[in-house]
């Protein structure tokens, strides 16, 4: 039986739960949240939403013992008010750092031996911290990375060229945050380089919107949820089916010595191997700047 535990039932965690149920990606989901009554309320609401639907997923209020036989933990605590006020994903670190400290100890003491997917922000820094505190193999602790950012880039390109976003090959790399960048030298459609299809002004506009899209959505809606839930569900499906799909997750880069968003092969055992794609000189500088940003945040987290 495929079982998932979701820690943190804010806008993201609850949407992830619904996405997993809709796609029938598991048989059981245990819900955890520090707010009294919220886990029970979400269980009731999700169960009501399954009436007269094909298939069934058991949804329960999580207890510590539920971690023991869980296959995947999805870690999603957060405080959207912090991002609303600061418009910087890194600003949540002080809060989410304490959430990792609280849960890493519980996870370590349990019999859990599965895979942890870190969704909370700042994703790269927290993935590293979760791995350090649990002592789990780096291949077993994975962040959602730049899957969502890559989707935003592909959506933007698709609108200009009138093609399915899935037909666009390429990645957003680096931090899931302001230092991210699009590796335009490797973006193409049917092997045709994107720079032969779009002018520089358009490409610059797309890259800017890719970075700021989250804050535009948050300004109007108050939060983001569907895109990141989709990214998380893609990871879950890839792991459970051992699909060995290449996704730009936040995984540990031995070359750079930190967790950072870049392509990796994902399967039943977690990250199987990663890829460092060829970058031009300008992109390499952006990559190094993103590595620096993440490492500085890791140092700040360690000193706090």
């Amino acid at each position: 039986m495929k079982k998932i535990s979701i820690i943190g039932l804010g806008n993201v965690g609850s949407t992830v739960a619904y996405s997993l149920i809709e796609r029938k990606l598991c048989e059981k989901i245990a819900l955890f949240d520090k707010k009294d009554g919220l886990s029970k309320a979400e269980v009731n609401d999700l169960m009501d939403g399954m009436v007269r639907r094909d298939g069934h997923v058991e949804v329960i209020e999580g207890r510590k013992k539920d971690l023991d036989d869980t296959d995947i933990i999805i870690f999603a605590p957060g405080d959207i008010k912090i991002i609303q006020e600061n418009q910087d994903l890194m600003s949540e670190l002080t809060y989410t750092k304490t959430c990792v400290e609280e849960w890493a100890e519980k996870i370590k003491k349990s019999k859990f031996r599965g895979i942890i997917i870190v969704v909370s922000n700042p994703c790269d820094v927290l993935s590293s911290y979760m791995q350090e505190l649990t002592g789990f193999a780096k291949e077993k602790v994975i962040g959602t990375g730049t899957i969502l950012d890559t989707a935003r880039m592909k959506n933007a390109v698709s609108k200009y060229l009138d093609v399915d976003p899935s037909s666009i090959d390429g990645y957003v790399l680096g931090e899931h945050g302001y230092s991210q960048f699009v590796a335009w030298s490797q973006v193409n459609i049917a092997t045709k380089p994107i720079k032969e299809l779009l002018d520089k002004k358009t490409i610059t506009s797309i890259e800017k919107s890719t970075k700021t899209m989250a804050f535009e959505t948050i300004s109007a809606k108050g939060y983001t949820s569907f895109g990141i839930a989709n990214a998380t569900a893609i990871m879950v499906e890839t792991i459970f089916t051992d699909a060995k799909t290449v996704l730009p997750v936040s995984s540990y880069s031995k070359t750079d010595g930190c967790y950072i968003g870049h392509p990796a092969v994902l399967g039943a055992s977690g990250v199987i191997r990663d890829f460092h794609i060829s970058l031009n000189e300008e992109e390499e500088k952006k990559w190094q700047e993103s590595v620096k940003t993440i490492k500085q945040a890791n140092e700040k987290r360690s000193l706090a």
Side-chain angles (χ1 to χ4, degrees):
M1 180 177 70
K2 296 182 178 71
K3 181 178 178 181
I4 292 176
S5 289
I6 300 177
I7 298 171
L9 300 175
N11 299 307
V12 172
S14 58
T15 308
V16 168
Y18 186 73
S19 297
L20 298 177
I21 291 169
E22 280 290 289
R23 301 182 195 192
K24 302 179 180 67
L25 295 180
C26 59
E27 284 77 47
K28 191 170 186 177
I29 300 176
L31 302 179
F32 296 82
D33 196 274
K34 69 176 184 179
K35 184 177 179 181
D36 289 342
L38 183 55
S39 294
K40 183 178 181 181
E42 289 292 3
V43 167
N44 293 339
D45 203 13
L46 289 165
M47 294 298 288
D48 289 344
M50 280 190 275
V51 175
R52 292 185 65 86
R53 284 181 169 267
D54 293 335
H56 177 77
V57 177
E58 183 182 1
V59 186
I60 63 172
E61 293 180 67
R63 300 288 184 265
K64 287 183 180 179
K65 65 180 181 179
D66 284 303
L67 297 176
D68 293 344
D69 61 347
T70 287
D71 298 294
I72 297 175
I73 290 176
I74 296 172
F75 188 79
D79 185 348
I80 191 60
K81 291 180 181 178
I82 297 173
I83 294 179
Q84 289 171 344
E85 294 172 359
N86 295 276
Q87 293 203 342
D88 183 357
L89 301 182
M90 198 68 80
S91 64
E92 269 198 290
L93 179 57
T94 300
Y95 174 78
T96 51
K97 170 182 178 288
T98 62
C99 298
V100 172
E101 291 166 349
E102 175 188 354
W103 278 98
E105 186 66 21
K106 294 176 182 178
I107 294 169
K108 189 174 182 179
K109 288 182 178 180
S110 74
K111 297 177 183 178
F112 173 76
R113 294 297 180 268
I115 293 171
I116 302 175
I117 296 177
V118 177
V119 182
S120 300
N121 291 312
C123 172
D124 309 283
V125 180
L126 294 186
S127 296
S128 176
Y129 200 32
M130 180 66 80
Q131 188 277 321
E132 288 177 22
L133 294 186
T134 59
F136 284 18
K138 292 182 175 67
E139 295 78 14
K140 297 281 189 179
V141 182
I142 316 162
T144 47
T146 51
I147 297 176
L148 174 55
D149 308 293
T150 297
R152 287 172 175 154
M153 177 272 288
K154 291 183 176 183
N155 269 326
V157 171
S158 73
K159 291 175 183 177
Y160 281 97
L161 299 178
D162 194 26
V163 296
D164 179 357
S166 298
S167 295
I168 299 162
D169 296 317
Y171 300 103
V172 173
L173 301 176
E175 174 206 5
H176 176 54
Y178 275 127
S179 68
Q180 67 175 242
F181 66 97
V182 183
W184 290 112
S185 66
Q186 301 301 320
V187 178
N188 65 81
I189 298 175
T191 74
K192 193 172 184 65
I194 199 68
K195 291 188 177 182
E196 294 181 16
L197 301 170
L198 295 174
D199 59 38
K200 186 175 181 179
K201 182 179 179 181
T202 301
I203 286 174
T204 300
S205 176
I206 290 173
E207 178 144 18
K208 182 179 179 181
S209 69
T210 299
K211 286 185 181 182
T212 61
M213 182 63 69
F215 305 113
E216 291 175 15
T217 302
I218 290 169
S219 294
K221 180 180 171 179
Y223 57 91
T224 64
S225 56
F226 296 116
I228 189 60
N230 180 57
T232 307
I234 289 170
M235 291 178 68
V236 169
E237 184 172 22
T238 301
I239 292 166
F240 277 156
T241 60
D242 195 25
K244 296 181 175 64
T245 302
V246 177
L247 296 170
V249 297
S250 182
S251 65
Y252 186 77
S253 165
K254 292 182 180 179
T255 303
D256 301 285
C258 66
Y259 272 78
I260 188 168
H262 64 296
V265 181
L266 200 60
S269 60
V271 171
I272 299 170
R273 64 182 182 278
D274 64 348
F275 294 94
H276 286 274
I277 64 177
S278 297
L279 302 174
N280 61 31
E281 186 176 350
E282 180 184 359
E283 292 164 351
E284 181 60 34
K285 288 180 180 179
K286 291 179 178 179
W287 173 264
Q288 293 302 329
E289 185 61 34
S290 199
V291 169
K292 180 180 177 181
T293 298
I294 293 170
K295 285 186 173 181
Q296 287 177 339
N298 282 334
E299 291 174 5
K300 179 181 178 182
R301 177 258 296 165
S302 298
L303 294 172

